[in-house]
Amino acid sequence: MKLLSCHIDNFGCLSDYNLNFDGKKTVILEENGWGKSTFAAFLRVMFYGLTGAKKKSLSDNDRKRFLPWQGGVYGGSLTFYAKGKTYTLTRHFKEKDSTDFFELRDAETNLPSRDFSENIGEELFGIDSESFARTVFVGQDDIPVDVTSGINAKLGNLAEESGDMNRFTDAMDIIKGELNALSSSRKTGEIYKLTDKIAALETEERSGYGLEKEMETVSQKITEANGKKLELKAKKADCEKRETEANDQERLQSAYSMLNNLKGDLEKKKAELQNAKRAFPNEVPTEDELQKAYQAADAYKTLADEVKRSILSEEEEARLSGLMAAFGTEIPDEGTFRTKSREIQSAFSKRNEILHEIDRAEERIEDAEKNEAGETKKKIGAELLLIPALCLIAGAVAVGLFLRDFWVYALIAGVAGVILLILALVLTGKHKKLAQEFSEDVTRLTNARDASGAELDALDRNAAAFLDRFGLSYDPGAFYSDCSYIADELSAYRTLKSRKTAADEASSKSDGHRKLLHEFCQKYGFMFIGDPEQELVTLREKRIDYAHAEKDLSDAEKSLSDFAKDQDMEKLEFFVPSDTIPRVEDVREEKEQLNGQIEDIDKEIRHYEDELESLQERFDEWERASGELEEKKEEKERLQKKNDLLKKTQAALQKANEALTTRFAKPVLDALKEYYGMVEKNHPDDCRLDAHSTLTVMAFGEQREIGTFSKGCQDYLGLCYRFALVHAMYADEKPFIILDDPFTNLDSERLSGAKALLEKLSDEYQIVYFTCHESRE
């Protein structure tokens, strides 16, 4: 078998990596951290898949350990030659085994191949993953060999003939586990626990003797107690019968007394009702009729008082008749009279103001006329002043003409004359204007006086017409007193008229209520002697007493009727009280004493029953323990036989395995000596293999296990042992060998021998060798 090439998509720290393998030896020299161990693991995983899925440790769980650092597709492909064909194997890994991808193709046709399944490693190499890791796959620091059952089966060429051969270790482990579980010396062993249980059951069995006798004694006590209880119950039944008779007698006595009381009360209520009815001669008025009569009496009394208050005396009648005659039929209402009176009086109050205005106007006219005469005189004086002024001016001119020395005087006199002339002209104009204004004032005042006089005449006519309606003559000086007189007369008329009307209406209504009272008296046979209202109050109280008596009688009849419904009236009618029946209290006291005695007996019985139940439980437990004791003894005997058989089986399997191992130990030992002699040239015959495939080496006269030697010795001994196993396991088709830098602990001499060994092996096996140092290349 040969590896041809591989491609790693992503696996641990490796990504997009390709490699073509040499047919004999492929050396991969890379520095630490490159991923050599990861690459070596990739080759194993391609054939066996990821292992250690249930392991928590990262180093033991391939899926966690080789998860791609950079992400992406997890896995790759591998092309190899085996059994005359070339194949391309592809695996991609995901979260779970069930989702992983596996594909095998024929490399020449590129068609899917069914020559091998996903278990291609076991099918190609004939060993499981663990055995593969112990032979052709040599990991760094993992060189010493533990021979597995799969290796033994492959060495014996029995893998295909017997599937159980490679399960020898599992079988021995199972037998060992079964023996430990059955152990009679271990506290957890079933035989040991059964021995303890049997001892305890034997003790329990011994404690159960005599239980049946105790149970019989307690049962007898229960029977006796039940007999006493029956006697007490018979006495209680007789007592209850007498209690019933006493209760019946007492109930009848009570009902008899109650019946007599109800009958007596009924007769009493009948008498009270008859007595209450005597207050009404004919029949008993209803509450509604009494209420109406009372209201009529109250209204009659109120109206009578109102008639007394409102009726007019003879003098008042005469005065009302006189007022009606004086006012006639058109008597104004109070509101109209007041409004008209106030209106005329308000207008009349201006009369004096009008008279005063007329007087003032006449005075002002007189003054204006006087002023106009004075101004006329002033006007004539101003006109006369013009003459001397003109003369003065003319004289001054003449003097100036004839007297040249006196021109200055003449000028002064002329100027004065001019001034006087101007003054005279101004005064004359002003006097004319004033005279015109005085004339206009006289005219205006005269018109105002005439208008006020007309208004005064109209006011007097209106006042005279108002007084005339009431038969009075108009006198301006007596106008206000006349208006007050009229108002008093109208007020007196209305007061007297209102009283007369109220008296007439009250008298009419009083007659109606008097008639209603008369009808009430005729119907019920009454005659009011005193105050009807007070007598009706008394009558109403008697009516209430009658209603109460009637209600009491009805209640008494109902009580007797209700009592009769619940009683045997026939028995009560003929009931005769007796003093021979015992008192209920005495019978009940006797019954309570019997109940107490029965309760005591019940407690005693329960105590015996609890005791019997406890004894029964102990007896049942004793019977169970006795039965279980026999079962446990039989079980112990069965397990002891099983234990003996397992020990014999263990010895037989061990003997058969040793015989089988001894049969193929010689070819392995021969190959081991050959390979060991190439690395360690002295004493190759010192190597030994026992029947358990355990490697030992003679040293200082004793066989010593390789674990007692140095790390370097262990490595090359283990390496030689691995190669010897591969040589013996694969006689026909040779597998490839993967070496992950196994020579790190070898000194230079042994390293040289190891390299020579690899050169020799590469002629027979394809070797893939990983190292980080040129010296070990």
Side-chain angles (χ1 to χ4, degrees):
M1 178 181 177
K2 300 291 184 182
L3 299 177
L4 302 179
S5 65
C6 75
H7 171 74
I8 300 177
D9 292 316
N10 291 288
F11 194 81
C13 61
L14 299 175
S15 177
D16 193 21
Y17 179 76
N18 295 285
L19 179 67
N20 293 320
F21 294 95
D22 186 273
K24 295 180 65 177
K25 185 173 69 171
T26 300
V27 179
I28 299 174
L29 174 62
E30 297 290 349
E31 60 186 6
N32 290 329
W34 176 83
K36 297 184 295 298
S37 296
T38 300
F39 188 9
F42 171 80
L43 297 177
R44 170 179 58 81
V45 166
M46 289 303 291
F47 287 104
Y48 285 97
L50 298 172
T51 61
K54 296 182 179 180
K55 300 294 182 63
K56 295 183 179 180
S57 174
L58 182 65
S59 60
D60 297 329
N61 189 321
D62 287 346
R63 193 175 300 275
K64 293 181 179 178
R65 179 183 178 188
F66 299 113
L67 190 70
W69 293 9
Q70 63 286 332
V73 179
Y74 184 9
S77 60
L78 179 66
T79 301
F80 62 92
Y81 176 84
K83 297 187 178 181
K85 284 187 178 182
T86 303
Y87 300 96
T88 298
L89 169 63
T90 302
R91 283 187 189 268
H92 290 148
F93 308 103
K94 299 182 181 179
E95 294 180 358
K96 298 179 180 179
D97 293 345
S98 58
T99 58
D100 289 349
F101 173 78
F102 169 84
E103 182 182 65
L104 183 68
R105 288 180 178 271
D106 188 317
E108 295 180 0
T109 65
N110 198 37
L111 294 175
S113 174
R114 295 186 178 180
D115 293 346
F116 304 99
S117 68
E118 289 187 34
N119 296 322
I120 185 172
E122 294 185 8
E123 294 167 1
L124 270 175
F125 302 112
I127 55 176
D128 56 19
S129 176
E130 183 182 4
S131 299
F132 178 82
R134 293 290 181 267
T135 55
V136 299
F137 184 88
V138 184
Q140 187 175 359
D141 295 328
D142 191 25
I143 297 176
V145 177
D146 292 328
V147 178
T148 65
S149 59
I151 294 174
N152 284 334
K154 184 68 174 174
L155 287 171
N157 198 22
L158 300 174
E160 295 180 359
E161 297 178 6
S162 177
D164 291 336
M165 287 301 299
N166 58 357
R167 300 299 178 190
F168 169 76
T169 302
D170 294 339
M172 293 297 285
D173 289 342
I174 292 172
I175 292 174
K176 183 179 180 181
E178 287 290 326
L179 288 172
N180 288 336
L182 292 172
S183 175
S184 60
S185 58
R186 292 172 176 262
K187 289 185 178 181
T188 57
E190 291 186 48
I191 296 176
Y192 183 94
K193 289 188 286 186
L194 274 174
T195 302
D196 282 351
K197 183 65 175 177
I198 289 170
L201 288 172
E202 288 175 343
T203 301
E204 190 174 353
E205 183 185 35
R206 287 191 295 271
S207 66
Y209 299 137
L211 286 175
E212 288 184 279
K213 184 64 176 177
E214 291 183 38
M215 292 169 64
E216 290 177 2
T217 301
V218 174
S219 296
Q220 182 62 33
K221 291 180 180 179
I222 292 174
T223 302
E224 293 173 357
N226 280 323
K228 291 181 181 179
K229 182 177 179 181
L230 288 174
E231 292 176 4
L232 291 172
K233 281 189 172 182
K235 292 181 180 179
K236 179 181 176 183
D238 179 67
C239 188
E240 288 175 346
K241 181 180 179 181
R242 287 185 285 114
E243 182 185 15
T244 301
E245 292 174 355
N247 276 329
D248 291 343
Q249 179 70 15
E250 189 175 274
R251 186 170 59 254
L252 284 171
Q253 180 71 42
S254 176
Y256 181 79
S257 299
M258 178 65 72
L259 178 62
N260 289 335
N261 291 337
L262 290 173
K263 286 181 177 180
D265 188 57
L266 179 62
E267 294 302 321
K268 179 182 177 182
K269 298 304 179 186
K270 286 180 179 179
E272 289 177 355
L273 181 63
Q274 290 298 324
N275 185 48
K277 194 173 183 181
R278 291 191 184 96
F280 303 95
N282 294 343
E283 59 179 296
V284 181
T286 65
E287 178 65 23
D288 185 53
E289 290 173 329
L290 275 172
Q291 181 66 21
K292 288 180 180 178
Y294 179 81
Q295 291 175 351
D298 181 58
Y300 176 78
K301 181 179 179 181
T302 301
L303 290 169
D305 292 341
E306 187 175 348
V307 170
K308 290 179 182 179
R309 289 194 305 271
S310 301
I311 195 168
L312 300 179
S313 64
E314 292 181 1
E315 291 82 2
E316 290 173 333
E317 285 281 358
R319 179 165 171 71
L320 178 62
S321 298
L323 289 172
M324 292 177 66
F327 289 125
T329 58
E330 297 183 1
I331 299 175
D333 61 77
E334 186 177 0
T336 303
F337 174 77
R338 286 180 180 178
T339 301
K340 187 65 176 176
S341 176
R342 287 173 183 171
E343 179 184 341
I344 293 175
Q345 288 183 31
S346 176
F348 191 78
S349 64
K350 295 181 181 180
R351 191 173 188 278
N352 292 332
E353 294 179 4
I354 295 172
L355 289 173
H356 182 66
E357 288 179 359
I358 292 173
D359 292 341
R360 285 181 61 194
E362 290 179 349
E363 290 176 359
R364 290 180 66 185
I365 291 171
E366 185 178 354
D367 290 341
E369 289 176 347
K370 290 179 180 180
N371 289 335
E372 184 179 7
E375 289 298 325
T376 301
K377 291 178 180 181
K378 289 179 181 180
K379 179 180 177 184
I380 294 172
E383 291 176 348
L384 292 178
L385 183 60
L386 289 174
I387 296 174
L390 291 174
C391 292
L392 181 59
I393 293 170
V397 172
V399 172
L401 289 175
F402 292 102
L403 297 176
R404 298 177 65 180
D405 295 331
F406 298 99
W407 64 271
V408 177
Y409 302 103
L411 180 60
I412 294 171
V415 171
V418 171
I419 292 170
L420 289 174
L421 179 59
I422 292 170
L423 178 62
L425 292 174
V426 171
L427 290 175
T428 300
K430 184 175 181 182
H431 290 162
K432 287 181 179 182
K433 183 177 180 181
L434 289 173
Q436 184 179 356
E437 290 177 353
F438 287 144
S439 178
E440 291 175 354
D441 287 341
V442 171
T443 301
R444 180 175 59 76
L445 292 171
T446 301
N447 293 336
R449 182 195 60 189
D450 294 341
S452 298
E455 185 178 358
L456 182 64
D457 292 340
L459 179 62
D460 288 339
R461 286 195 301 273
N462 194 14
F466 175 73
L467 294 176
D468 186 61
R469 287 185 59 191
F470 301 100
L472 297 177
S473 299
Y474 174 62
D475 180 2
F479 178 75
Y480 287 107
S481 61
D482 290 341
C483 287
S484 178
Y485 170 75
I486 293 171
D488 292 340
E489 290 296 289
L490 282 173
S491 176
Y493 169 77
R494 292 189 182 91
T495 301
L496 293 173
K497 182 66 176 175
S498 177
R499 283 177 58 193
K500 182 173 177 58
T501 300
D504 292 343
E505 290 178 353
S507 178
S508 176
K509 292 179 180 178
S510 176
D511 291 342
H513 292 301
R514 186 172 59 251
K515 180 181 179 182
L516 183 63
L517 288 172
H518 178 69
E519 292 174 351
F520 178 81
C521 290
Q522 281 186 333
K523 181 176 180 180
Y524 295 107
F526 293 103
M527 181 175 292
F528 297 129
I529 299 173
D531 182 2
E533 185 178 8
Q534 184 60 43
E535 291 188 18
L536 281 168
V537 170
T538 304
L539 187 61
R540 188 178 184 187
E541 291 175 352
K542 293 179 178 180
R543 173 67 181 80
I544 292 172
D545 292 340
Y546 176 81
H548 287 165
E550 192 175 38
K551 174 71 168 52
D552 291 343
L553 177 59
S554 176
D555 291 344
E557 290 174 344
K558 186 176 184 306
S559 296
L560 182 59
S561 176
D562 292 342
F563 176 81
K565 290 178 183 178
D566 298 331
Q567 301 294 330
D568 186 349
M569 296 301 295
E570 186 177 354
K571 183 182 287 188
L572 285 177
E573 291 292 340
F574 295 100
F575 174 73
V576 178
S578 174
D579 297 331
T580 61
I581 302 298
R583 294 193 315 148
V584 175
E585 291 78 4
D586 296 338
V587 179
R588 285 179 180 172
E589 184 179 355
E590 182 182 352
K591 187 177 73 171
E592 288 300 320
Q593 290 176 355
L594 290 172
N595 283 333
Q597 293 175 11
I598 291 172
E599 286 181 4
D600 292 340
I601 290 293
D602 284 337
K603 290 179 181 179
E604 185 178 352
I605 291 172
R606 285 196 297 271
H607 171 72
Y608 289 142
E609 286 176 344
D610 291 342
E611 186 178 355
L612 182 61
E613 183 179 359
S614 176
L615 290 171
Q616 184 64 51
E617 289 176 356
R618 289 173 58 192
F619 183 77
D620 292 342
E621 186 63 23
W622 176 77
E623 285 188 328
R624 183 200 61 75
S626 297
E628 187 180 1
L629 178 60
E630 295 301 319
E631 292 176 359
K632 295 301 181 184
K633 287 180 177 179
E634 292 176 0
E635 185 179 0
K636 180 180 179 182
E637 185 178 355
R638 179 180 59 80
L639 292 179
Q640 191 64 53
K641 290 180 180 179
K642 181 180 178 181
N643 184 68
D644 295 340
L645 180 61
L646 284 172
K647 287 183 176 180
K648 292 178 181 180
T649 302
Q650 185 183 43
L653 282 176
Q654 184 64 40
K655 185 176 181 181
N657 183 65
E658 291 174 358
L660 181 63
T661 305
T662 302
R663 189 177 68 184
F664 57 73
K666 186 176 186 306
V668 174
L669 184 59
D670 291 341
L672 173 61
K673 290 180 179 181
E674 180 183 357
Y675 298 148
Y676 181 65
M678 295 180 65
V679 179
E680 187 70 30
K681 300 185 181 301
N682 298 320
H683 312 293
D685 293 334
D686 290 342
C687 296
R688 300 285 190 274
L689 281 177
D690 61 16
H692 299 292
S693 300
T694 301
L695 174 62
T696 59
V697 179
M698 289 294 296
F700 295 97
E702 293 183 11
Q703 293 188 36
R704 303 182 186 275
E705 295 184 5
I706 63 174
T708 60
F709 295 93
S710 67
K711 186 61 173 138
C713 291
Q714 292 181 41
D715 285 351
Y716 70 74
L717 280 168
L719 191 62
C720 292
Y721 191 14
R722 280 177 179 260
F723 291 154
L725 288 172
V726 171
H727 173 77
M729 290 167 64
Y730 299 96
D732 298 328
E733 187 166 359
K734 304 298 184 181
F736 58 85
I737 298 175
I738 302 173
L739 301 174
D740 184 11
D741 212 353
F743 303 147
T744 56
N745 295 316
L746 300 185
D747 55 27
S748 58
E749 183 178 353
R750 291 192 176 90
L751 179 59
S752 176
K755 287 181 178 181
L757 176 59
L758 287 185
E759 288 298 327
K760 182 178 188 316
L761 290 174
S762 65
D763 293 335
E764 190 175 359
Y765 303 95
Q766 181 186 24
I767 295 176
V768 181
Y769 178 71
F770 298 89
T771 184
C772 64
H773 200 277
E774 295 178 355
S775 63
R776 297 192 293 273
E777 184 178 358

